[in-house]
Amino acid sequence: MMDRAALQVILLGMFLMSATSDPVKKKKNVDIYSFYINSTVTSRYATTVITSRVANTLNESQEIQFEVKIPKNAFISKFRMTIEGKTYDGVVKEKEAAQQQYNQAVSRGQSAGLVKSVGRTLEDFKTSVTVSAFSKVTFELTYEELLKRRLGKYELLINAQPMQPVADFKIDVHIQEKPGISFLEVKGDLSTGDLANAIKTTRADKDFQVWVTFYPTQDQQTKCKSCGENGLNGDLLITYDVERQNPKGEIMVSKGYFVHYFAPSDVPRISKNVVFIIDRSGSMSGRKIKQTRLALLKILSDLDEDDHFGLITFDSEVSLWKRELLRATEANLENAKSFVKEIRDRGATDINAAVLAGVDMINRHPREGTASILILLTDGDPTTGETNIEKIMSNVKKAIGNKFPLYCLGFGYDVNFDFLTKMSLENSGVARRIYEDSDADLQLQGFYEEVAVPLLTDIQLKYPGGTNLTKTSFSLYFNGSEIVVSGQITDNSVESFTTEVIAVSKGSNVTYQDTIMTKDPSDVPPENENFMQRLWAYLTVKQLLDRQVLLKGQEKEDEKKEALKLSLKYQFVTTLTSMVVTKPQEGEVEVANKPKEGKGGDGYTADVDSDDDDSAFLLHSVPMDYPAAMDYSDAMDYSDAMDYSVMIHHPLPTYGSPTIHTTTPPAVQVHSNRFLLPVVGQSKPLCFDVPLPHKLRLLQDSASEFSMNGESLSENHGFHQIAIHYKTNHHLIISTKSISYHNGQDKVEILWGQELTQHNTDGVSLVVLENEMNVTMGNIGVVIISHKKDGVKFLWPAIWEHPKDVNLTGVLGKSDISYVKTEGSQTPTLKMKDKEVKTYLETVSDYRFHSTPVQECWLVPFQAVMEAEISDFTVTQL
């Protein structure tokens, strides 16, 4: 759990080559002959440079594309291309100025660069350039980030995927920490097997410095667990922390700037009063409510006996487990767990009443010398009671009165995350997005672990002689975290600098005071001596941008101007600036923008938009670009279905029979399974039927040796048995009665309806809930739902997680479908793959969800969608 919740600094370099030649030719005619990732971490401030040198070995010009993935918390600060001895530098400009330059380029028909969000922690930077025959290009990208301590450690995750074995491949990491490095560990895919021999760790200067190098040979680059003919594809994970012998913190001064790291661990933990406010509205149905229950059960088990807690659930009504806070005794916890197990989704969303009830619960039971915390989990907007967001925020702020923090957890992308962010910041808390994924329960637990052990409250940091300070007031300090303050020193001639921290520990005031000599020789190497100034600028800009959501009027405008001024001075690509890259092709211009946390979407194009409309974000929740298994029991005679065409998205519960060449549904009834297939750009999905009984190849990824097959019986809904295989030794058989897993050595038997069961080994994760099983094998994640209808149990599969670049096949693997509805014909007709297919509008139940929502879809024949016969997808053995 600690590993999953800790901060990840992700550096991923990847090159994609594009040319007019065929794919095989492209690989042979583009040579990445040098690929370096160099990361220097000085006192937690990481500066990373990704450099790649590429040769066009073709006897004609071709376009070479450069794509790297960087952490969302990082700021790009430099990009350059060098071609035939000439360097083209990116220049950071105010967005409006960049917009003008970009518009001029667009008017000449030229393309834009690209920066987009690609997951929970990454943004994608992408550009391309045309390189002459037998010429070379060097790409260099620099970005900067302050590492954040979580759960007692920092993490540096370096992922390499250069798309081919590279003759000169190097990753160099140099970590310099003044107090000394207490521990350091290197792990990850690229540290296993033969590749482990390519890693070297060197400590020096009494552990003040550590070098980690990774220099694999071309042969080694093809032999790791996830490597192949395209070379490396994996990560190095470097985890470390620093010595903390001085409880007053670590202070560094350099060239008129200072930074203070404060993380005492010699103070007793404070017992806490925590109230969990849980959304149980209808939108929390299915997996979300199950994962919430699962996380709460684990969190309750982690409460200390001197903690007090309360549970509130809400939809259109607010329900309290108990009216008062109760001590976390064994009996109370068991009672609370029984309450949690009975939480069911229903109704609308009254956030205002629920949060105010939580505030009232804490206010009515004050305990001296404790820390109070409110944690709200919701997945939607307020829809009943008080729905005006501004009024809700005003009510909550007035009720809390700066007495304790409110932490808001937004589940998925339908939630109004800006609202949660503002409401939490107004009340000394933070907002965190919980991604709709197979590990959502672990995300919830991970957040709780970060706030589980409060050590100090009401922390005030003072710096006589300091100015332009970053944030100096904090409501709580938690074990395993770190408070960081940076600023400028007003008088560079002073010989000493004093810090003072005043806080409350278990109801008593404590003071930490320290003085350092500013004239002492610097521990910072000359090449990194400007890092502290850049650290101050980075932290200042980050905090100014975060505060924008709270401010109004002139104050907001003033801070925005200050953030812009610093972004331009230090050449940071932020939400206020853009990087303009002028390319050698007749002055072609590309513009790269910093994405903002948004509600969804497929990435972030680099054309410069207005100030506040930069959001773009893609996450795995339910990937709707793959077919969803549906149920269709009273179906048509499939033998006459060849004239159908359908489109699908989400399913619907009750449904009629499709028409066969007439406007009257036929009386013939054949039991079939119906599958949904979403179509990009269309509001209604396609659906198609597969007659019962059958044994189907549901999903397959040959590259990772993953396959899933399912067997259906006559006159029964869904599947009575599903088999999942991974590599040669992992075999999972799921039936309506039991689950059997064999890994080549051990065999595990599990019954449906047992208590929560988890199994993790060798890249395989199995989590069995009451009526649901989450399966992750390698990089493919699926969910099997157990249903009961008309007294008969059956299973439904769904894909929940997979990398974008995986080539999935099988009935559930179809993703490249499109259609256009033709107008004018008496019978509804869709144009698919240049063929006209007759269709009918149907409703179906989506059994990927326990709530089985109902949806309309266009019913089409199997052959029209899959471009193959059903026999091509059948198997003889599961």
Side-chain angles (χ1 to χ4, degrees):
M1 266 310 308
M2 234 182 195
D3 286 350
R4 299 191 74 153
L7 174 72
Q8 297 183 345
V9 178
I10 304 170
L11 327 173
L12 182 149
M14 172 168 53
F15 281 86
L16 305 175
M17 283 67 69
S18 60
T20 53
S21 51
D22 61 76
V24 176
K25 237 178 162 187
K26 280 191 285 184
K27 267 188 185 175
K28 293 180 179 178
N29 293 321
V30 174
D31 177 29
I32 305 173
Y33 61 92
S34 172
F35 187 92
Y36 290 176
I37 299 178
N38 187 296
S39 186
T40 300
V41 183
T42 305
S43 195
R44 288 66 137 190
Y45 193 67
T47 301
T48 302
V49 182
I50 302 175
T51 306
S52 187
R53 297 174 174 85
V54 189
N56 174 16
T57 60
L58 200 62
N59 63 354
E60 59 180 311
S61 297
Q62 65 172 324
E63 187 177 39
I64 294 177
Q65 204 170 70
F66 171 61
E67 184 173 0
V68 292
K69 293 179 174 62
I70 70 171
K72 286 182 179 174
N73 282 330
F75 291 152
I76 293 172
S77 56
K78 182 179 179 181
F79 174 71
R80 64 170 40 169
M81 296 183 291
T82 303
I83 305 172
E84 297 177 357
K86 187 171 182 181
T87 298
Y88 301 86
D89 282 306
V91 179
V92 175
K93 297 186 176 184
E94 184 179 1
K95 273 198 171 175
E96 286 72 12
Q99 176 78 64
Q100 278 189 324
Q101 192 168 350
Y102 171 77
N103 288 343
Q104 292 168 4
V106 170
S107 68
R108 298 195 296 266
Q110 296 161 350
S111 63
L114 182 68
V115 179
K116 64 179 181 180
S117 296
V118 292
R120 300 181 189 177
T121 53
L122 290 175
E123 290 168 357
D124 192 84
F125 176 92
K126 183 177 179 181
T127 188
S128 62
V129 66
T130 301
V131 179
S132 303
F134 305 116
S135 293
K136 299 177 180 179
V137 57
T138 298
F139 298 100
E140 181 183 311
L141 181 79
T142 302
Y143 59 88
E144 304 173 35
E145 181 179 26
L146 178 64
L147 306 192
K148 189 172 182 180
R149 187 172 184 249
R150 285 181 179 151
L151 297 172
K153 59 183 166 182
Y154 313 94
E155 284 192 355
L156 195 66
L157 178 62
I158 303 178
N159 186 305
Q161 190 182 354
M163 299 303 290
Q164 63 178 243
V166 179
D168 183 19
F169 182 98
K170 292 181 180 178
I171 295 178
D172 288 281
V173 178
H174 182 199
I175 301 174
Q176 307 164 85
E177 294 290 354
K178 182 181 176 182
I181 296 169
S182 61
F183 80 88
L184 183 139
E185 185 179 9
V186 182
K187 50 188 178 181
D189 294 340
L190 301 186
S191 67
T192 59
D194 193 35
L195 282 177
N197 300 323
I199 299 172
K200 183 179 179 182
T201 301
T202 306
R203 291 174 176 259
D205 297 338
K206 299 180 181 179
D207 287 337
F208 295 156
Q209 299 191 69
V210 174
W211 286 263
V212 178
T213 60
F214 178 57
Y215 298 170
T217 64
Q218 279 186 285
D219 185 52
Q220 286 174 319
Q221 291 172 43
T222 63
K223 291 184 177 178
C224 73
K225 184 170 66 174
S226 54
C227 302
E229 62 177 13
N230 290 334
L232 294 172
N233 181 7
D235 55 78
L236 280 183
L237 182 65
I238 301 170
T239 303
Y240 80 96
D241 197 15
V242 302
E243 296 287 355
R244 301 184 186 275
Q245 297 177 354
N246 184 0
K248 302 169 185 177
E250 174 194 348
I251 310 160
M252 295 186 71
V253 175
S254 177
K255 290 194 167 184
Y257 290 84
F258 77 90
V259 62
H260 182 199
Y261 297 99
F262 182 69
S265 57
D266 62 340
V267 290
R269 64 172 294 277
I270 303 173
S271 63
K272 60 184 179 292
N273 313 306
V274 57
V275 176
F276 302 96
I277 307 168
I278 306 301
D279 186 345
R280 65 176 182 203
S281 60
S283 57
M284 286 285 290
S285 65
R287 170 188 279 214
K288 285 192 283 190
I289 201 72
K290 282 185 172 291
Q291 291 176 318
T292 299
R293 289 197 297 262
L294 185 64
L296 277 173
L297 292 174
K298 177 66 171 61
I299 289 169
L300 289 172
S301 297
D302 290 342
L303 289 173
D304 287 287
E305 191 169 353
D306 60 349
D307 289 335
H308 285 63
F309 71 103
L311 293 170
I312 295 175
T313 60
F314 70 97
D315 45 69
S316 55
E317 298 177 354
V318 177
S319 299
L320 280 62
W321 167 59
K322 302 291 182 184
R323 282 187 49 78
E324 64 281 341
L325 294 172
L326 292 187
R327 189 172 177 181
T329 62
E330 185 175 346
N332 285 337
L333 290 174
E334 287 305 311
N335 191 324
K337 288 178 182 179
S338 298
F339 175 81
V340 167
K341 290 175 183 177
E342 296 304 315
I343 297 176
R344 297 289 182 267
D345 55 279
R346 64 179 204 185
T349 310
D350 191 345
I351 292 175
N352 181 72
V355 176
L356 292 181
V359 175
D360 180 65
M361 184 178 288
I362 290 179
N363 285 338
R364 283 188 291 108
H365 302 90
R367 293 197 303 134
E368 197 68 33
T370 62
S372 296
I373 301 170
L374 272 181
I375 299 178
L376 166 68
L377 172 67
T378 182
D379 74 334
D381 291 339
T383 59
T384 190
E386 179 59 69
T387 58
N388 183 291
I389 286 174
E390 293 296 328
K391 182 64 174 172
I392 294 172
M393 290 191 294
S394 174
N395 292 342
V396 171
K397 185 177 181 180
K398 181 179 178 181
I400 291 178
N402 295 319
K403 294 189 292 291
F404 45 82
L406 167 65
Y407 296 100
C408 297
L409 305 181
F411 209 142
Y413 273 90
D414 292 329
V415 70
N416 186 336
F417 197 70
D418 284 343
F419 160 53
L420 296 184
T421 299
K422 186 171 182 180
M423 187 164 64
S424 59
L425 288 175
E426 282 187 339
N427 294 284
S428 305
V430 294
R432 181 78 58 84
R433 191 183 293 280
I434 302 299
Y435 296 89
E436 289 186 62
D437 228 330
S438 58
D439 68 340
D441 56 317
L442 299 181
Q443 295 175 56
L444 289 167
Q445 292 171 41
F447 172 81
Y448 173 75
E449 286 185 15
E450 291 180 42
V451 300
V453 185
L455 297 181
L456 296 173
T457 63
D458 302 320
I459 306 104
Q460 305 293 326
L461 299 98
K462 299 181 179 181
Y463 303 93
T467 187
N468 293 326
L469 303 174
T470 59
K471 183 178 177 181
T472 58
S473 178
F474 301 85
S475 61
L476 281 168
Y477 162 69
F478 297 100
N479 188 40
S481 67
E482 185 173 62
I483 291 173
V484 184
V485 179
S486 185
Q488 295 175 260
I489 298 175
T490 53
D491 184 358
N492 286 330
S493 65
V494 298
E495 296 185 354
S496 63
F497 185 70
T498 299
T499 67
E500 184 179 33
V501 182
I502 302 171
V504 177
S505 171
K506 299 197 77 168
S508 302
N509 288 336
V510 293
T511 301
Y512 299 84
Q513 194 171 55
D514 201 9
T515 300
I516 64 165
M517 306 308 293
T518 61
K519 299 301 183 183
D520 287 348
S522 173
D523 296 301
V524 181
E527 65 270 20
N528 296 327
E529 60 186 8
N530 288 327
F531 96 91
M532 199 173 301
Q533 182 177 347
R534 299 190 69 82
L535 183 159
W536 167 80
Y538 171 93
L539 194 56
T540 300
V541 171
K542 276 283 183 186
Q543 293 180 359
L544 286 171
L545 293 176
D546 288 344
R547 277 173 50 81
Q548 284 289 296
V549 72
L550 296 176
L551 302 178
K552 295 179 180 178
Q554 191 59 45
E555 188 181 9
K556 180 173 184 175
E557 201 58 36
D558 290 343
E559 292 205 359
K560 183 177 177 182
K561 286 179 181 177
E562 182 63 21
L564 175 60
K565 186 175 102 176
L566 291 173
S567 298
L568 294 173
K569 179 177 179 179
Y570 293 94
Q571 290 287 284
F572 291 149
V573 179
T574 69
T575 53
L576 303 177
T577 57
S578 301
M579 177 172 280
V580 179
V581 182
T582 303
K583 294 167 32 173
Q585 285 79 34
E586 299 180 4
E588 183 173 344
V589 172
E590 290 193 339
V591 176
N593 292 331
K594 175 84 171 172
K596 291 199 298 190
E597 179 79 8
K599 274 198 150 190
D602 190 21
Y604 197 124
T605 57
D607 54 319
V608 186
D609 287 326
S610 67
D611 250 353
D612 298 309
D613 190 21
D614 300 340
S615 60
F617 212 100
L618 177 65
L619 68 89
H620 281 112
S621 49
V622 187
M624 296 312 294
D625 50 346
Y626 286 88
M630 309 304 301
D631 174 55
Y632 180 47
S633 53
D634 299 320
M636 51 183 278
D637 183 344
Y638 202 85
S639 61
D640 275 338
M642 290 303 295
D643 291 331
Y644 292 119
S645 152
V646 298
M647 132 180 162
I648 89 172
H649 206 58
H650 306 286
L652 304 174
T654 56
Y655 32 89
S657 303
T659 309
I660 305 182
H661 303 297
T662 70
T663 56
T664 305
V668 180
Q669 295 183 346
V670 177
H671 291 279
S672 299
N673 276 337
R674 175 164 291 176
F675 294 82
L676 283 181
L677 178 60
V679 179
V680 176
Q682 297 288 1
S683 61
K684 288 187 175 63
L686 299 173
C687 49
F688 56 89
D689 294 332
V690 180
L692 301 171
H694 52 237
K695 288 183 182 177
L696 292 178
R697 184 172 72 252
L698 295 172
L699 193 65
Q700 185 169 347
D701 173 31
S702 300
S704 66
E705 300 178 70
F706 174 96
S707 65
M708 178 170 67
N709 304 319
E711 181 177 17
S712 296
L713 301 178
S714 296
E715 300 184 1
N716 282 350
H717 300 283
F719 298 88
H720 86 103
Q721 189 165 281
I722 292 174
I724 303 176
H725 308 283
Y726 177 55
K727 299 192 179 295
T728 57
N729 57 327
H730 297 280
H731 306 284
L732 178 66
I733 307 298
I734 307 167
S735 73
T736 54
K737 295 181 179 179
S738 63
I739 299 158
S740 174
Y741 169 67
H742 194 271
N743 64 3
Q745 296 178 340
D746 305 316
K747 190 171 183 179
V748 179
E749 297 283 347
I750 306 168
L751 296 177
W752 289 106
Q754 286 184 185
E755 287 292 314
L756 165 70
T757 304
Q758 298 190 57
H759 182 84
N760 295 279
T761 179
D762 194 20
V764 173
S765 172
L766 310 177
V767 180
V768 182
L769 306 174
E770 184 180 357
N771 292 305
E772 175 181 325
M773 183 172 191
N774 300 328
V775 181
T776 303
M777 293 189 174
N779 54 16
I780 307 293
V782 297
V783 175
I784 311 299
I785 305 291
S786 174
H787 286 283
K788 189 173 184 180
K789 184 174 182 179
D790 300 329
V792 179
K793 290 184 177 180
F794 61 95
L795 306 173
W796 282 107
I799 308 172
W800 290 96
E801 184 175 15
H802 66 87
K804 281 186 173 181
D805 55 355
V806 168
N807 182 26
L808 297 176
T809 58
V811 174
L812 300 182
K814 189 71 173 176
S815 64
D816 57 346
I817 195 71
S818 63
Y819 76 85
V820 177
K821 188 174 183 296
T822 58
E823 303 296 334
S825 59
Q826 188 173 359
T827 303
T829 305
L830 305 181
K831 190 169 185 180
M832 302 169 58
K833 302 279 187 181
D834 296 324
K835 294 181 180 178
E836 290 194 348
V837 184
K838 292 181 181 179
T839 184
Y840 299 88
L841 196 59
E842 289 294 311
T843 59
V844 282
S845 298
D846 189 346
Y847 287 115
R848 293 170 308 164
F849 303 97
H850 292 284
S851 57
T852 61
V854 177
Q855 185 171 334
E856 290 184 325
C857 64
W858 292 113
L859 180 64
V860 295
F862 179 95
Q863 294 87 342
V865 176
M866 305 302 290
E867 300 178 277
E869 299 297 324
I870 294 176
S871 58
D872 295 326
F873 293 85
T874 58
V875 295
T876 56
Q877 295 183 6
L878 289 186

